Amino acid sequence: MLHAPEGEPRLAALFCHPAFDEKKSGHRALVSCARRMALAGAACLRMDLRGCGDSDLDHGEASLKMWDEDVSEAISFLGERFPGTALGLLGLRLGASLAARAAEKHLANDAAPRILVLWEPVLCGRVHLEEQLKRKQLREMLTCGRASTQGRGHLSTGSAGPLDLDGFLVSPLLREELMAFNLDRPRSFRGEVFILQISASDSISPAISALAENYKKAGSNVRSEALREAPFWNQLDPVECPTAVDRTLEWLESLPLLKSR
Amino acid sequence: MKHPETERQVTFTCRGSRLYGILSSPPSDTGRGVVFLHGWAGQRTGPHRIFVQMARRLAEEGVSSLRFDFRGRGDSEGDADEASLTTMIEDAAEAVKCLLENDPRVRTITLLGLCSGGEAAIGASSLNPAVKSLALWSVPLVGGNTERTEIAKTGSALRSYFAKLGNAGTWRRLLSGRIHGRLVMRALFGHWRRQTAGASRAQEQKTLLESFLAFRSRVLFVHGSLDPGAAAVQEEYRLLCQDGKREAAFHLVEGANHNFYSMAWKRELFELTARWMS
């Protein structure tokens, strides 16, 4: 879905959605953000990664490598569709992690993203997978009175077979990739970075601080903010999270990169 | 599963709001179509892409379909807070027209609704003569005697759930991470939440019951056996169907929960629904 502004866009932004059930609950906030950004002059592309949403393939065929390719293709599409326009990536949860990975890959050309917005990024794939497994086990215990035999041991790379995460099939490859994934390492992206921590805390966590520091060391201008809100990607009802959108728009408006157009 | 040739985005309007959906038009023509109606807090893909997968399964059998986002949900316009069963029924009626207009081969339609989407299916069942059958997944009881089903869903059922949770050590292990227990509880039981209150809900339910009783064709009821109150709901619907005016089929997916959260339950759900539809 492409949300196009009136006239020439000041920014072309790719939205990267969360994984698993978080995608459903986080969806409306991303829709709201894209619509408001379009009103503010940004062309916003929201896409479903392969194996997700309405896109091709089953979830069990998906991998992080495939999702990286999807994001790259989308970046190329935006670059061709809006030549000369500043490119940005905005992601929520694992989508933020994918955006961060993509920003590292597209560094050395004119169509490279220069703006990165990370809403509560998943910093460690293993922890993310464990959280999803815990949700599944909790649901099973409350429904059936017992958790399945697929415990944490099933996350070890030696385990064979796909993992059924409440209807989302996770292939051994995707499981292995997520277990190995970690954002806690030096960054190469040099641009404008906004990290929005969305949690029960008013203070930036050490992990987010470390991520911000890595971006600064790479030469990026970084703003980190803590937004005290319930994790809407885990809630039942669709939540638009207007404050997250407000903070993001406010930061985007402050960028000299966008003011100069 | 790749279906690039058969699926495309469509839009239609209802009360001035644009609604977005995906139309699936397979090459082979059976004249049959399905309109998917998602649940209250859902979106057109359904939980864990259940509607996407069912639509693609049906396409292999030559059945066209439309899955869309209700007003205030997914990609569709509209204020999330203004959505109601009434707006869902209106949207469903427009969706039926959209399918018929965009795939003129379709002559008969099944409304396939999940939870509140099932209620919307019932409400919209008589609004277009092309609607010939209802497939109702995890549908709550409309109107009628709700006492048994409410008892099954309220305090006593919750107490029995908590009794199953085992020892405190298990809870500590599960909840020691970043999972917010309160939010998970809402996620697990939130489908019981009532969308309207008081007198308007009573009228809404009365109207839905009338719609159900007026529907004189085929209905499929599928619930998970471990969905709270499912057996009681199906029992009530059996009683309502005893007038013999509709051909009703009932199925409980053994061990399944409200949204059929596993590959095995999904497969069973797809098989029996497709078989019933054919």
Side-chain angles (χ1 to χ4, degrees):
Chain A
M1 174 86 73
L2 179 64
H3 302 261
E6 284 187 20
E8 288 299 309
R10 296 190 287 156
L11 167 70
L14 172 66
F15 280 55
C16 300
H17 62 72
F20 311 117
D21 230 12
E22 292 187 357
K23 179 183 188 304
K24 183 208 82 163
S25 302
H27 185 89
R28 198 69 181 172
L30 294 178
V31 171
S32 171
C33 188
R35 286 180 174 154
R36 288 179 58 186
M37 281 177 63
L39 284 173
C44 299
L45 176 65
R46 291 186 295 107
M47 55 168 262
D48 289 333
L49 300 165
R50 275 179 288 175
C52 305
D54 292 311
S55 285
D56 287 344
L57 304 188
D58 287 329
H59 196 273
E61 298 172 86
S63 65
L64 272 191
K65 179 171 179 288
M66 180 186 291
W67 288 344
D68 286 338
E69 289 168 0
D70 294 345
V71 174
S72 284
E73 282 295 318
I75 290 171
S76 298
F77 168 83
L78 278 177
E80 286 163 22
R81 178 81 168 75
F82 301 104
T85 304
L87 287 181
L89 303 172
L90 187 151
L92 169 63
R93 298 289 289 150
L94 193 71
S97 318
L98 291 172
R101 282 160 68 100
E104 302 292 299
K105 291 191 170 116
H106 293 257
L107 292 176
N109 59 67
D110 289 341
R114 297 169 68 188
I115 292 169
L116 191 56
V117 176
L118 309 177
W119 285 3
E120 190 58 23
V122 166
L123 302 176
C124 175
R126 179 185 54 78
V127 169
H128 188 52
L129 209 45
E130 283 174 0
E131 285 174 354
Q132 305 308 311
L133 194 58
K134 280 178 190 172
R135 283 166 61 108
K136 173 185 163 73
Q137 290 174 325
L138 190 57
R139 206 193 300 270
E140 283 173 341
M141 289 187 71
L142 289 171
T143 307
C144 316
R146 56 177 171 79
S148 70
T149 54
Q150 290 182 336
R152 280 183 68 178
H154 205 83
L155 295 182
S156 68
T157 52
S159 302
L163 177 62
D164 181 355
L165 275 184
D166 285 346
F168 291 99
L169 208 59
V170 176
S171 67
L173 173 58
L174 178 57
R175 184 178 67 239
E176 187 183 317
E177 288 170 324
L178 283 171
M179 292 294 282
F181 167 75
N182 203 308
L183 274 186
D184 181 23
R185 53 195 61 176
R187 303 277 102 199
S188 308
F189 174 74
R190 182 184 294 181
E192 306 290 340
V193 180
F194 180 56
I195 306 173
L196 188 62
Q197 175 186 288
I198 304 171
S199 71
S201 173
D202 288 326
S203 312
I204 299 284
S205 70
I208 293 290
S209 291
L211 178 65
E213 197 52 39
N214 280 335
Y215 276 115
K216 285 177 191 166
K217 284 178 183 167
S220 282
N221 298 318
V222 186
R223 184 194 289 184
S224 313
E225 288 189 16
L227 172 58
R228 192 173 175 181
E229 286 266 359
F232 58 85
W233 52 89
N234 279 339
Q235 295 196 32
L236 179 68
D237 287 337
V239 175
E240 301 202 356
C241 202
T243 313
V245 180
D246 290 342
R247 300 269 190 105
T248 302
L249 283 174
E250 190 186 299
W251 174 77
L252 285 169
E253 289 294 344
S254 73
L255 296 179
L257 170 67
L258 296 182
K259 281 196 173 81
S260 61
R261 292 184 57 82
Chain B
M1 211 184 310
K2 287 173 66 97
H3 294 268
E5 305 85 21
T6 62
E7 293 186 350
R8 62 182 174 93
Q9 187 186 73
V10 291
T11 63
F12 57 99
T13 56
C14 188
R15 303 257 188 200
S17 291
R18 180 176 295 185
L19 279 66
Y20 290 84
I22 300 290
L23 175 73
S24 169
S25 294
S28 57
D29 171 24
T30 59
R32 290 186 286 141
V34 171
V35 173
F36 290 93
L37 305 173
H38 66 73
W40 176 250
Q43 48 193 237
R44 66 174 182 256
T45 55
H48 51 95
R49 300 178 91 209
I50 206 170
F51 283 173
V52 176
Q53 291 165 335
M54 186 69 196
R56 290 173 182 173
R57 164 68 193 272
L58 290 172
E60 289 174 357
E61 297 177 8
V63 179
S64 301
S65 68
L66 171 65
R67 54 186 188 271
F68 73 98
D69 296 312
F70 283 111
R71 264 177 283 169
R73 302 288 187 262
D75 292 334
S76 291
E77 292 177 352
D79 191 336
D81 291 336
E82 290 178 4
S84 67
L85 210 37
T86 301
T87 65
M88 289 171 76
I89 291 168
E90 290 172 347
D91 294 348
E94 291 301 321
V96 167
K97 287 185 204 168
C98 176
L99 176 56
L100 292 170
E101 283 164 15
N102 283 277
D103 193 339
R105 303 172 303 170
V106 172
R107 296 182 294 280
T108 63
I109 287 180
T110 298
L111 296 180
L112 191 159
L114 175 66
C115 191
S116 300
E119 291 181 293
I122 290 170
S125 58
S126 59
L127 298 181
N128 193 302
V131 174
K132 299 297 187 197
S133 55
L134 306 178
L136 307 175
W137 294 351
S138 303
V139 68
L141 182 66
V142 295
N145 179 1
T146 62
E147 184 181 347
R148 284 202 290 165
T149 51
E150 288 304 315
I151 286 172
K153 284 189 268 184
T154 52
S156 58
L158 284 171
R159 282 192 289 276
S160 85
Y161 269 141
F162 282 106
K164 291 178 188 173
L165 291 177
N167 60 55
T170 305
W171 271 106
R172 278 197 294 274
R173 284 195 298 279
L174 283 172
L175 297 178
S176 60
R178 293 177 65 197
I179 291 175
H180 296 257
R182 183 168 54 84
L183 294 174
V184 171
M185 295 302 291
R186 285 181 61 201
L188 288 169
F189 298 109
H191 58 271
W192 295 346
R193 183 177 307 157
R194 297 293 176 241
Q195 288 81 55
T196 55
S200 53
R201 167 164 168 76
Q203 181 55 45
E204 197 174 66
Q205 287 299 311
K206 182 169 176 287
T207 306
L208 280 180
L209 178 60
E210 288 167 359
S211 295
F212 180 76
L213 292 173
F215 186 70
R216 307 267 173 102
S217 190
R218 303 177 72 228
V219 187
L220 170 69
F221 296 91
V222 187
H223 290 80
S225 70
L226 293 184
D227 186 7
V233 166
Q234 288 206 351
E235 183 58 30
E236 292 291 339
Y237 275 115
R238 281 181 198 276
L239 292 172
L240 289 174
C241 291
Q242 276 184 351
D243 60 4
K245 295 193 168 78
R246 61 205 65 76
E247 186 190 322
F250 296 86
H251 193 93
L252 283 175
V253 177
E254 192 55 41
N257 51 26
H258 184 74
N259 281 330
F260 308 97
Y261 275 113
S262 91
M263 300 301 295
W265 296 333
K266 264 201 287 200
R267 274 193 291 270
E268 183 176 338
L269 179 63
F270 294 165
E271 287 301 318
L272 69 94
T273 301
R275 204 163 51 238
W276 174 82
M277 285 186 60
S278 65

